[in-house]
Amino acid sequence: VSTSPEISPVSCADPFDPLSLSCAEALARILAALTPVAGHECVALRAAFGRILASDVASAIDVPLATNSAVDGYAVRVADLGDAGMQLKIAGIALAGAPFHTRLAPGHCVRVMTGAVMPEGTDTVVMQEHAEVGDGRIRVTRGYRRGDNVRAAGEDLRRGQVALPAGRRLNAAELGLLASLGIGEVSVRRRLRVAFFSTGDELRSIGEPLAEGQVYDSNRYTLYGMLSALGAEVIDMGVVRDRPEAVRAAFEEAAACADVLITSGGVSVGEADYVRDALREIGQIEFWKVAMKPGRPFAFGRVRDAVFFGLPGNPVAVMVTFYQFVAPALRRLAGEARIEPLTVQARCTSRLNKKPGRTEYQRGVLEWDRDGALVVSRTGPQGSGILRSMTEANCFIVLAPERGPVEPGAIVEVQPFFGLV
Ligand code: AMP
Ligand code: MG
């Protein structure tokens, strides 16, 4: 099963001012225009790693299946522990996978190992550290309450209960949980096919010599990494020269095979108007000036049936706009339920240049100080072409539009890369 992602047409009559679109508004508009792909497939558990669950998975069994011991020790009837110094006779042993089958008589206990099914007639497990053993008997040195150190059947999950909801990304814990339910195959949403290319006559590929004014194309590599981390099927279309026919042909080719097309470069105002012309002919594109730094020029819309993102050319701007807009959009298209990134507050130890007007995504290093408080400092120079600021960072420092310069000691909002990337 496979259908194209859908995007609602963008109306020219929208009352907003495109010159002052806020980040929150841009993201809201993008998400509102997208619905998840409908296609799904059944895959084996290991192959499901990183994929998005297409439907709820209910447990076919109680977890745990039987009431069992949570520790190594002695299964007892708590009522037998009444008298201090009372001794219990060891009637036998139960191991995980090797139960003790005889019903326990009063005044007896059973040696149990973690995971062993609770012998009939017992209700509590005395930890071995709290039992003095001698002559085939134990003496319990502590008080116990009924049910201590016992895992009840179904306490984790009841048979029929939803173990994992549709829309969950299947990471290590989810694979383990599914395995614990004996589930070897799951229905997942199909992978998104994402095509991308770079534009710019100054771009060279690795292996080619650089002449003056030329740069190596790095955006296709950051995009490859960011898309792969999201589990997308990546279609790298290379560098497309700044020529109308070349750009147009690339758009057609991408739209024919991909759910999503991402370009970088060439979306600045006044530049490469034929890109706009081509896009306007075969798609519905809004060119937005999002009030953000880096990454102001940004295009969103549709090329034929493919969702289109036109990212700025500058390498850091590509990454910032990707993580703020494209990643949530791809998560939504892929059917993922949780797309909100984690944000935390931290004390900033650097002075940050900031002018009021735009949301800034400065690159920072988040860590604990000696007192155990979260602190963040910026990575060196913050130019939107300085990719090293991303490699050295582990978070974005997000500064709201109204904010001015940040003095050391001020509290700032931080988006850790962990979970975001
Ligand atoms: P543009 O948005 O096309 O005006 O590009 C802005 C800046 O980003 C220019 O300095 C470009 O050389 C640079 N740039 C554009 N595309 C890439 C790319 N794929 N890799 C590295 N730098 C790029
Ligand atoms: Mg360019």
Side-chain angles (χ1 to χ4, degrees):
V1 211
S2 152
T3 54
S4 299
E6 281 173 24
I7 173 171
S8 331
V10 185
S11 161
C12 300
D14 279 349
F16 79 101
D17 174 6
L19 295 176
S20 63
L21 203 55
S22 73
C23 290
E25 195 178 357
L27 179 59
R29 285 168 159 265
I30 290 168
L31 293 180
L34 302 175
T35 50
V37 293
H40 47 84
E41 57 183 321
C42 216
V43 297
L45 202 49
R46 284 194 183 90
F49 182 68
R51 304 290 296 273
I52 310 297
L53 205 53
S55 44
D56 290 352
V57 174
S59 180
I61 53 173
D62 277 342
V63 180
L65 194 59
T67 300
N68 68 86
S69 176
V71 297
D72 292 341
Y74 298 88
V76 303
R77 188 184 281 113
V78 81
D80 283 351
L81 297 178
D83 307 328
M86 166 102 177
Q87 298 208 334
L88 300 176
K89 193 160 190 268
I90 303 172
I93 183 165
L95 308 174
F100 178 84
H101 282 300
T102 332
R103 189 182 162 81
L104 204 66
H108 286 68
C109 67
V110 175
R111 175 81 168 123
V112 287
M113 296 299 153
T114 306
V117 173
M118 289 295 284
E120 215 189 317
T122 65
D123 52 31
T124 303
V125 178
V126 172
M127 289 176 75
Q128 60 190 23
E129 292 82 352
H130 301 158
E132 288 170 9
V133 191
D135 199 19
R137 290 165 190 280
I138 65 164
R139 198 179 70 80
V140 181
T141 57
R142 295 258 181 110
Y144 269 88
R145 277 179 318 202
R146 187 188 163 90
D148 280 351
N149 301 317
V150 173
R151 303 188 284 217
E155 76 172 19
D156 190 2
L157 275 174
R158 289 246 156 247
R159 189 174 152 182
Q161 195 181 331
V162 172
L164 289 174
R168 179 67 59 83
R169 190 176 287 269
L170 301 174
N171 287 322
E174 286 78 12
L175 290 198
L177 181 61
L178 290 166
S180 77
L181 303 178
I183 294 170
E185 270 194 345
V186 280
S187 176
V188 294
R189 298 261 190 181
R190 73 171 175 81
R191 277 184 206 282
L192 293 180
R193 286 183 296 270
V194 183
F196 57 89
F197 60 82
S198 300
T199 67
D201 282 343
E202 78 282 23
L203 300 180
R204 287 295 171 272
S205 293
I206 298 167
E208 294 176 352
L210 286 186
E212 200 187 356
Q214 297 180 336
V215 293
Y216 286 120
D217 178 359
S218 57
N219 290 343
R220 277 165 47 230
Y221 292 85
T222 46
L223 282 169
Y224 169 83
M226 294 187 292
L227 290 167
S228 299
L230 281 174
E233 209 176 284
V234 169
I235 305 164
D236 183 346
M237 298 177 64
V239 178
V240 174
R241 295 298 160 207
D242 289 334
R243 283 200 321 274
E245 327 79 70
V247 172
R248 203 197 153 99
F251 279 129
E252 291 284 13
E253 189 190 329
C257 70
D259 301 304
V260 179
L261 169 60
I262 301 172
T263 63
S264 73
V267 288
S268 308
V269 185
E271 177 193 359
D273 275 332
Y274 52 81
V275 175
R276 283 166 190 249
D277 293 344
L279 286 170
R280 294 233 188 261
E281 270 173 53
I282 62 172
Q284 294 164 296
I285 310 294
E286 291 285 319
F287 286 85
W288 290 345
K289 266 191 175 172
V290 182
M292 69 190 294
K293 184 182 174 185
R296 181 141 54 171
F298 181 82
F300 170 66
R302 186 170 62 182
V303 174
R304 303 233 183 268
D305 286 334
V307 174
F308 174 77
F309 294 96
L311 307 187
N314 271 309
V316 179
V318 165
M319 297 195 77
V320 169
T321 50
F322 185 94
Y323 286 130
Q324 301 308 318
F325 304 124
V326 183
L330 295 180
R331 289 182 195 275
R332 167 65 54 84
L333 283 173
E336 190 170 357
R338 295 178 181 164
I339 55 175
E340 282 282 292
L342 171 73
T343 59
V344 298
Q345 296 209 318
R347 188 162 45 80
C348 189
T349 57
S350 317
R351 184 176 192 287
L352 306 180
N353 294 325
K354 167 78 166 71
K355 283 191 206 126
R358 298 194 255 168
T359 304
E360 287 200 16
Y361 296 88
Q362 302 205 8
R363 277 75 68 204
V365 177
L366 182 67
E367 58 197 344
W368 302 103
D369 72 3
R370 260 180 283 138
D371 304 324
L374 271 182
V375 291
V376 66
S377 56
R378 65 163 212 174
T379 62
Q382 297 287 313
S384 65
I386 303 175
L387 206 45
R388 202 155 62 87
S389 69
M390 280 298 297
T391 66
E392 288 172 2
N394 66 7
C395 67
F396 288 124
I397 303 170
V398 185
L399 302 173
E402 59 278 8
R403 202 151 181 169
V406 174
E407 296 302 331
I411 299 297
V412 291
E413 189 186 317
V414 168
Q415 270 181 0
F417 287 172
F418 174 80
L420 179 71
V421 303

